[in-house]
Amino acid sequence: MEDWALIRRLHLAEGESMRSIAERLGISRNTVARAVRSEGPPKYERVPVASAIKTVEPRIRVLLKENPRMPATVIAERIHWSGSPAWLRENVARIRPEYAPADPADRISYEPGDQIQCDLVFPAVKIPCGTGPARVFPVLVMVCSHSRFIMARMIPSRTTGDLLAGMWELLGGLGAVPRRLIWDNETGIGRRNRYAAGVAAFAGVLATRIVQVKPYDPETKGIVERANGYLESSFLPGRTFTSPTDFNDQLAVWLSKANTRLVRSTAARPAELLPTDRAAMIELPPVAPVTGFHAKVRLPRDYYVRVSSNDYSVDPQAIGRFVDVSADLETVRISIGDRNIGTHPRSWDRGLTITDPSHVQAAKTLRAAFQNPEVADAGDIDDLVRDLAEYDRVFGVVLDDGMISS
């Protein structure tokens, strides 16, 4: 452009000949002549050529209409694309929003005391439990959304009773209850906008709401999802565990350190923000909610009750009576009213028979008495009349007060 302007100035303004201009600039006179005759500086114009994308774009649109999320590599295979992969990806990215609109995720700010996000994570490590094979157990993770304070505990199963018992234990350790507990569509909590049995009563006692987010909406509980990833990438690698108790003990030590980390999004440490978060929460209820496993069954002759596929012995004096069976995360209890007739540590194994030796001895005594009843002495007919309480004692009949007749 500078040469064109110089030629025009020398020839038109200063009257210099085209020959002298060509000699001064070292170019041909034809070039000078074209510059003088042209109305503007020379420019390169590429002859338009039909793009290869234009020929295959209708087929790309058909594929994206059927499957808007189809990867560009699969599209290239379907349309037999032989050109530049980068060029195809660029054009697929240009076309795709017409069939799969973007789903933006807003950055959410969380008010103190408003919510705790809850989730289950199944660590890729098998935990020994008793004599059976090692198994994978769920870990309940709960994170205070405002402070990012993490609470977690391994639980025996994902049943409703164990989920509620785990939540109650973690909230009890926190010492407060948020206004909302956020869950996904976990079966033990509820599905299709219907709570599982006992969940609504649990929330009512705590004076909180249990909110289940929509399916395929991970951003709503992204705080706990990131905590799950942090646990799997920072806590699990390089560790071995001898039992669920050992897992929870190591997890508690790790959490005490994890909650002092600096969180980039809040520019603070969870342990430092927790007092503000907890102060805005609700106090724990004066009465504990109903959690864990509960059942009322008639005790059979073999004096065992079943809890989570394991059988636990009961005082055989209660044979034939209805007994109350309850189990939390650690203990199985069997009772009649306020009277305890069996207590066992809860086994996380399957298919076991857990026996209290005192129950076996009591059964042996009752069996001997049943098989060898006392024989009445022969004599007057009046001598054949006996106190009925003696028969109750011999046959192990339990009275309404829970005591054997004596």
Side-chain angles (χ1 to χ4, degrees), residues 180-386:
R180 295 185 297 163
L181 293 169
I182 309 299
W183 270 96
D184 56 14
N185 284 267
E186 177 64 37
T187 306
I189 298 299
R191 308 197 82 171
R192 298 183 179 88
N193 298 320
R194 297 185 64 181
Y195 290 138
V199 174
F202 176 84
V205 173
L206 268 61
T208 187
R209 291 175 56 212
I210 294 181
V211 180
Q212 291 187 282
V213 301
K214 297 179 181 179
Y216 312 110
D217 188 17
E219 292 87 359
T220 304
K221 50 192 287 290
I223 301 294
V224 71
E225 296 288 355
R226 284 191 288 275
N228 291 345
Y230 181 43
L231 184 146
E232 291 181 322
S233 62
S234 181
F235 170 67
L236 291 177
R239 292 179 183 265
T240 57
F241 309 99
T242 59
S243 66
T245 301
D246 181 40
F247 183 97
N248 283 326
D249 289 343
Q250 293 190 45
L251 181 59
V253 174
W254 178 81
L255 285 173
S256 64
K257 299 177 181 178
N259 284 320
T260 60
R261 75 196 187 282
L262 186 65
V263 180
R264 181 182 61 85
S265 59
T266 62
R269 305 181 191 279
E272 297 173 350
L273 294 179
L274 181 62
T276 302
D277 210 356
R278 186 163 46 197
M281 294 184 184
I282 308 167
E283 294 183 358
L284 291 174
V287 178
V290 176
T291 63
F293 174 85
H294 296 272
K296 193 178 189 69
V297 299
R298 188 185 294 276
L299 187 65
R301 286 184 58 200
D302 65 357
Y303 59 91
Y304 282 83
V305 295
R306 177 158 295 184
V307 177
S308 299
S309 78
N310 293 317
D311 293 332
Y312 298 85
S313 68
V314 183
D315 190 333
Q317 296 185 37
I319 289 175
R321 299 190 63 183
F322 280 100
V323 298
D324 297 309
V325 184
S326 62
D328 55 23
L329 300 177
E330 304 293 343
T331 308
V332 175
R333 297 179 178 84
I334 307 96
S335 62
I336 297 178
D338 295 333
R339 178 178 169 233
N340 182 20
I341 56 174
T343 301
H344 301 271
R346 180 175 176 180
S347 173
W348 290 23
D349 209 339
R350 292 177 175 173
L352 297 185
T353 299
I354 295 92
T355 303
D356 186 335
S358 66
H359 296 164
V360 177
Q361 184 60 42
K364 183 178 180 180
T365 302
L366 290 175
R367 192 178 302 110
F370 177 80
Q371 294 173 351
N372 301 286
E374 296 178 3
V375 179
D377 294 333
D380 271 334
I381 192 168
D382 293 337
D383 294 335
L384 298 180
V385 179
R386 306 190 61 168

Side-chain angles (χ1 to χ4, degrees), residues 3-22:
D3 290 344
W4 175 82
L6 178 60
I7 293 171
R8 301 269 300 179
R9 181 174 61 79
L10 293 174
H11 180 70
L12 298 177
E14 300 181 7
E16 191 170 342
S17 65
M18 287 188 287
R19 175 180 291 181
S20 63
I21 294 174

